[in-house]
Amino acid sequence: MDKKLYCILQYAFLITITFPMLSSEAKQPMSLATDQTALLSLKHTSLLLATNWTNSTSVCSWIGVTCSLRHHRVAALNLSNMALFATIPPQLGRLSFLVSLDLTNNLFHGDLPHELSLLRRLKFISLRLNNFTGDIPPMLGQLPKLEYLSLRNNSFIGSIPKSLSNLTNLQFLDLRSNSLSGEIPKEFGRLQSLQTLYVQRNHLSGAIPSAIFNISTLVSMGFTYNELSGSLPTDMCRNLPSLTGLYLSKNQLSGTIPSNLSQCSRLEELSLSYNSFSGEIPSEIGYLTSLQFLALGGNNLNGMVQVLIT
């Protein structure tokens, strides 16, 4: 055989052998075994997991674990209310098919690992009622499918990352009861799917960005117990047809109460107490026929609320 032809055939043979091996290696990190290894990094956090998460049973039958039928991979991890005392191990970033992560009401502490940004399929994150500390990591803004994010009742500090405005599918954002400071990012106006925004009981300052009042999908907004200042947009209710709850009490807001409140026709709860609002109480409040709770005390207001609907 010609020596040149022999070399070509030998090279072609090596390619056919090597490529399948590389393909197999590439698939290995995407296996259920990888999910198992990632989850075992949490096994030591409780006796319940230590006794239930064993090699003698399938990962998909472990307590708190749900696998997808289509991919047969870990799709949901619900370890809520288990009194787990731990940090989030970076290995959880290898659960590449994870859609839902619920660690509610435990004793998790420490910072959130950067590896969580690898979970690009995540739609639901609940870390509320724990002891997490440090800044809210900007990398959370790298989760393009995220719809629900709750970090309430932790000890996060620092400012709210502007990168959260990249979560264009986000519908629920709850940052209540932390130690956050600084201003609410004006970039939040980009969250045009947002229905619930709660930032109560922090140390936030500055004005509420006017762009937030242009998110027409909003149903409930809570800003109470902060240090927010400035006035409310005069046309505040123009683009909030679905708003049922607005909570602004215990801040440093000033100016007059917007007169177009009747355009928030679905309002059921309106809390403006203990600010520095002045002027007349808008008569339009009387047109809010769904209103069940109204708090205006602790301001410098004149007049009275009149029910104008017969």
Side-chain angles (χ1 to χ4, degrees):
M1 180 182 295
D2 181 83
K3 184 175 181 180
K4 182 177 180 181
L5 178 61
Y6 174 78
C7 291
I8 292 174
L9 291 174
Q10 186 180 43
Y11 178 68
F13 176 76
L14 287 173
I15 290 177
T16 59
I17 296 298
T18 304
F19 275 19
M21 289 175 65
L22 291 174
S23 176
S24 175
E25 289 174 359
K27 289 180 178 179
Q28 189 173 359
M30 301 294 286
S31 70
L32 188 60
T34 301
D35 290 353
Q36 179 179 358
T37 301
L39 290 175
L40 287 176
S41 63
L42 274 172
K43 180 177 178 179
H44 69 283
T45 58
S46 81
L47 180 61
L48 177 62
L49 298 186
T51 55
N52 183 270
W53 288 11
T54 65
N55 292 327
S56 61
T57 58
S58 168
V59 174
C60 298
S61 65
W62 287 0
I63 188 169
V65 176
T66 301
C67 291
S68 64
L69 295 176
R70 179 181 178 185
H71 301 288
H72 200 61
R73 298 288 305 279
V74 174
L77 182 61
N78 184 351
L79 302 179
S80 57
N81 307 301
M82 290 189 180
L84 305 180
F85 182 80
T87 58
I88 293 183
Q91 290 90 331
L92 286 193
R94 302 185 70 186
L95 298 175
S96 54
F97 278 77
L98 198 66
V99 175
S100 176
L101 176 62
D102 191 347
L103 303 180
T104 299
N105 194 24
N106 282 289
L107 299 170
F108 281 98
H109 55 277
D111 297 345
L112 300 184
H114 178 78
E115 286 78 4
L116 290 181
S117 64
L118 301 175
L119 303 177
R120 306 300 290 246
R121 288 180 168 87
L122 270 178
K123 294 183 178 181
F124 180 99
I125 300 178
S126 178
L127 306 180
R128 66 185 187 274
L129 297 167
N130 280 285
N131 296 316
F132 289 111
T133 55
D135 294 342
I136 296 176
M139 59 81 182
L140 289 177
Q142 300 175 24
L143 302 174
K145 296 185 178 181
L146 200 62
E147 299 174 359
Y148 183 106
L149 176 60
S150 179
L151 304 179
R152 63 171 287 196
N153 288 88
N154 280 283
S155 297
F156 289 109
I157 60 173
S159 59
I160 300 174
K162 296 179 182 179
S163 61
L164 295 184
S165 64
N166 296 329
L167 303 175
T168 54
N169 291 309
L170 196 65
Q171 299 175 21
F172 184 95
L173 178 59
D174 190 352
L175 305 177
R176 281 178 286 178
S177 299
N178 283 283
S179 296
L180 300 172
S181 58
E183 299 185 355
I184 300 170
K186 63 180 183 298
E187 290 82 1
F188 273 16
R190 286 189 245 153
L191 299 175
Q192 291 296 313
S193 297
L194 198 63
Q195 298 176 17
T196 300
L197 173 61
Y198 289 150
V199 295
Q200 299 99 308
R201 296 182 180 275
N202 282 287
H203 306 293
L204 300 172
S205 58
I208 300 173
S210 58
I212 288 179
F213 296 100
N214 290 325
I215 304 175
S216 60
T217 52
L218 276 169
V219 175
S220 186
M221 289 191 287
F223 303 93
T224 56
Y225 288 95
N226 278 289
E227 299 157 23
L228 298 169
S229 58
S231 58
L232 298 176
T234 56
D235 58 350
M236 181 182 73
C237 284
R238 183 182 62 180
N239 295 313
L240 297 173
S242 302
L243 193 67
T244 61
L246 178 60
Y247 311 97
L248 295 168
S249 294
K250 297 284 186 176
N251 279 288
Q252 301 166 17
L253 298 169
S254 59
T256 58
I257 297 176
S259 60
N260 74 333
L261 281 173
S262 59
Q263 290 181 280
C264 290
S265 58
R266 297 186 182 181
L267 263 181
E268 298 175 1
E269 298 188 342
L270 176 60
S271 177
L272 304 176
S273 59
Y274 296 99
N275 281 284
S276 296
F277 291 116
S278 59
E280 293 291 323
I281 297 175
S283 60
E284 286 79 6
I285 290 179
Y287 288 103
L288 298 174
T289 56
S290 298
L291 200 63
Q292 301 174 25
F293 175 83
L294 175 64
L296 299 176
N299 287 290
N300 299 310
L301 298 169
N302 301 313
M304 57 191 303
V305 177
Q306 299 181 14
V307 178
L308 303 178
I309 298 298
T310 59

